[in-house]
Amino acid sequence: MPLTYRSTKTWPHAVGLSCAFRQWRAESHCRFMHGYALSVRVEFEADQLDERNWVVDFGGLKTFKAWLEATFDHKTLVAADDPDLEWFTLGASTGVIDLLVVPATGCEAFARLILERAEAWLAEHDTSGRCRVARVELREHDGNGAIVERTK
């Protein structure tokens, strides 16, 4: 019977991926700027282990962690279609915020962004195509989170 191996890498809230964002379309308080120290969990999978009996080399994820920090640590993330984007851009130009414009904001959107970057990282580091990103879980806190995965 065939096996699928999975391994996970987690960057917990304590890592300090602290960012601010809003969901401008919300009618609730989520329409206001708010922030979290995010937690990120990436699940990798493979049908075969590598020569070291690993799914993925955790030590090799340093560049991926650097991307997470560059994207989420002390950043203000704003959706590209936010009607107040000009206001945020002004804040960035005056040095008040470290702005990153993203396609969309929120747990699900950030989980997708991370999944896409993890897949790109994996394509750069596992040229055999042996390993896949199975899912990404992003948590704002213990109560709120989102999971995204590729369907087959």
Side-chain angles (χ1 to χ4, degrees), residues 62-101:
K62 290 177 180 67
T63 57
F64 184 76
K65 180 185 179 194
W67 176 85
L68 286 172
E69 291 169 340
T71 304
F72 295 103
D73 189 26
H74 288 79
K75 301 292 185 201
T76 299
L77 291 101
V78 176
D81 64 348
D82 191 308
D84 294 309
L85 181 58
E86 186 177 327
W87 184 85
F88 289 102
T89 303
L90 177 62
S93 72
T94 62
V96 173
I97 60 173
D98 191 354
L99 178 66
L100 182 62
V101 179

Side-chain angles (χ1 to χ4, degrees), residues 21-139:
F21 58 94
R22 73 182 191 138
Q23 177 44 265
W24 68 267
R25 289 185 178 94
E27 294 180 18
S28 68
H29 61 276
C30 292
R31 72 185 183 278
F32 300 120
M33 289 298 298
H34 57 288
Y36 297 102
L38 302 176
S39 169
V40 175
R41 181 177 178 268
V42 180
E43 186 175 312
F44 298 94
E45 71 178 11
D47 297 328
Q48 297 176 358
L49 299 176
D50 70 7
E51 65 279 359
R52 298 161 295 202
N53 292 312
W54 294 345
V55 172
V56 69
D57 178 3
F58 293 133
L61 288 165
K62 290 177 180 67
T63 57
F64 184 76
K65 180 185 179 194
W67 176 85
L68 286 172
E69 291 169 340
T71 304
F72 295 103
D73 189 26
H74 288 79
K75 301 292 185 201
T76 299
L77 291 101
V78 176
D81 64 348
D82 191 308
D84 294 309
L85 181 58
E86 186 177 327
W87 184 85
F88 289 102
T89 303
L90 177 62
S93 72
T94 62
V96 173
I97 60 173
D98 191 354
L99 178 66
L100 182 62
V101 179
V102 293
T105 57
C107 280
E108 295 84 354
F110 295 157
R112 178 179 178 167
L113 182 69
I114 294 166
L115 174 86
E116 291 169 350
R117 181 62 196 124
E119 289 175 334
W121 178 89
L122 196 56
E124 295 166 7
H125 292 83
D126 174 30
T127 56
S128 71
R130 180 189 56 79
C131 187
R132 307 173 288 286
V133 179
R135 66 180 5 190
V136 168
E137 180 175 3
L138 179 125
R139 301 202 68 75

